[in-house]
Amino acid sequence: MVKLSDVSFTFDGQKIFDRAACEIHRGEFVSLVGSTGSGKTTLLRLLIMDLMPSTGTVTVGNYISQHVTRKQIPLLRRKLGIVFQDFKLLEDRSVYDNVAFALYVTNARASNIRKRVLHALAQVGLSHKTVSMPNNLSGGEQQRVAVARALVNDPFLLLADEPTGNLDPVTSQEILKLLKDINAEGMTVLMATHNYDLVRKAQGRIVQIKDRKLQEVQLKVK
C-alpha cells in the first residue's frame, strides 16, 4: 500500500528525513506523530508526490517516486482522499456542491455524481445537510463535509492532516470515531496529529517522526 525506503529529504538547507523507512498495509489505521516542525505534513506531501525525496523511494499503490511521470501524479491523487485541518471548503457552494466538486474536476460521469455524493454524505451522517452552506455548519459538520469530499472518489488511502486541530475535544472524538468507522469498512487511514490523547483512543499503529527517522512506538495507557 505505502512504503518508504531509505527516504532522505532536505528542504531549504534543512534535512527533514534521513534514510527514513516505513510500511503501511491495506486496511490499517496508522497515527503519525511528532513534534511541531518534525515533518508530518512533509511526509504527507511526499505521499501525494507534491514533494519528491532527495534520495530513496516512496511507493504509494502502483506509483513509485523514482519512476512516476508528471502526467501520472494527478492520477495518483485521484486515488487518495485528503482531509485538512482547516477544512478547505468552498464558502460560496452548498454541502452537496462542495462534495460534488471533487468529482467535477475528475470529469466523472454526470449520471454517477449525484449517487456518489449522496452516498458519501450518508457515510458521514450529513444526508440532511445537502443544501446547507458551509458558514451555517458547526466546525464538526464542516470537517464531516471535508471527509465526505475525500471519500467521494472511493480512494484506496485516506490521509488526514491534523483533522481535529481546529475542533473542541468532544467534536474531536466524534471525528475520530468517524475515521475509525471508515477504517472498519476497509479503508486504509493515515492520521497525522499532535494530539496524543486522540492517538491513544485511536488504538491503531503509531509511527513517530524522531531524529529524522520513522519508528513505530507504543504509548502508555493513562
Side-chain angles (χ1 to χ4, degrees):
M1 176 65 72
V2 173
K3 184 175 182 179
L4 284 78
S5 303
D6 290 328
V7 168
S8 296
F9 180 76
T10 300
F11 180 76
D12 202 20
Q14 180 180 359
K15 181 163 280 191
I16 309 298
F17 294 109
D18 183 16
R19 301 192 67 181
C22 179
E23 292 187 14
I24 298 173
H25 302 286
R26 187 176 301 276
E28 286 193 302
F29 190 108
V30 178
S31 296
L32 178 67
V33 300
S35 59
T36 300
S38 62
K40 296 188 295 295
T41 297
T42 297
L43 180 60
L44 298 185
R45 291 180 67 188
L46 286 166
L47 295 183
I48 67 173
M49 300 194 184
D50 181 42
L51 299 173
M52 292 294 176
S54 305
T55 60
T57 304
V58 175
T59 301
V60 183
N62 294 324
Y63 298 85
I64 304 172
S65 60
Q66 288 180 326
H67 307 298
V68 72
T69 66
R70 184 173 296 179
K71 290 182 178 180
Q72 289 175 324
I73 291 175
L75 300 178
L76 162 65
R77 293 175 185 167
R78 290 179 191 179
K79 298 178 180 179
L80 302 175
I82 307 173
V83 179
F84 303 95
Q85 175 177 340
D86 56 355
F87 317 140
K88 296 191 183 298
L89 300 181
L90 301 170
E91 297 294 333
D92 61 341
R93 305 190 189 198
S94 68
V95 165
Y96 179 95
D97 287 331
N98 264 278
V99 178
F101 183 77
L103 295 173
Y104 295 147
V105 298
T106 63
N107 296 316
R109 291 182 180 179
S111 59
N112 290 336
I113 290 178
R114 180 173 176 79
K115 179 180 179 181
R116 290 167 66 179
V117 170
L118 294 180
H119 176 69
L121 287 173
Q123 282 184 281
V124 302
L126 289 180
S127 296
H128 60 300
K129 294 286 187 176
T130 55
V131 299
S132 298
M133 300 300 287
N135 60 3
N136 292 326
L137 301 177
S138 67
E141 288 172 333
Q142 290 185 60
Q143 190 60 293
R144 285 176 179 269
V145 176
V147 173
R149 182 182 56 196
L151 294 175
V152 75
N153 270 314
D154 193 24
F156 65 79
L157 173 64
L158 182 65
L159 303 174
D161 189 5
E162 299 282 5
T164 65
N166 288 336
L167 303 175
D168 62 77
V170 172
T171 307
S172 295
Q173 295 302 320
E174 293 174 355
I175 294 300
L176 174 62
K177 183 180 184 304
L178 173 61
L179 295 177
K180 291 292 290 182
D181 289 345
I182 291 168
N183 173 248
E185 294 176 2
M187 177 73 66
T188 309
V189 177
L190 174 61
M191 178 181 71
T193 182
H194 65 275
N195 186 333
Y196 282 85
D197 183 53
L198 204 68
V199 171
R200 289 185 180 91
K201 292 176 180 177
Q203 298 181 337
R205 281 179 61 211
I206 304 168
V207 174
Q208 182 182 43
I209 302 175
K210 187 176 181 180
D211 299 328
R212 299 181 293 279
K213 306 284 188 184
L214 294 169
Q215 57 187 30
E216 190 161 344
V217 297
Q218 299 289 332
L219 294 183
K220 294 181 180 178
V221 178
K222 287 186 177 180

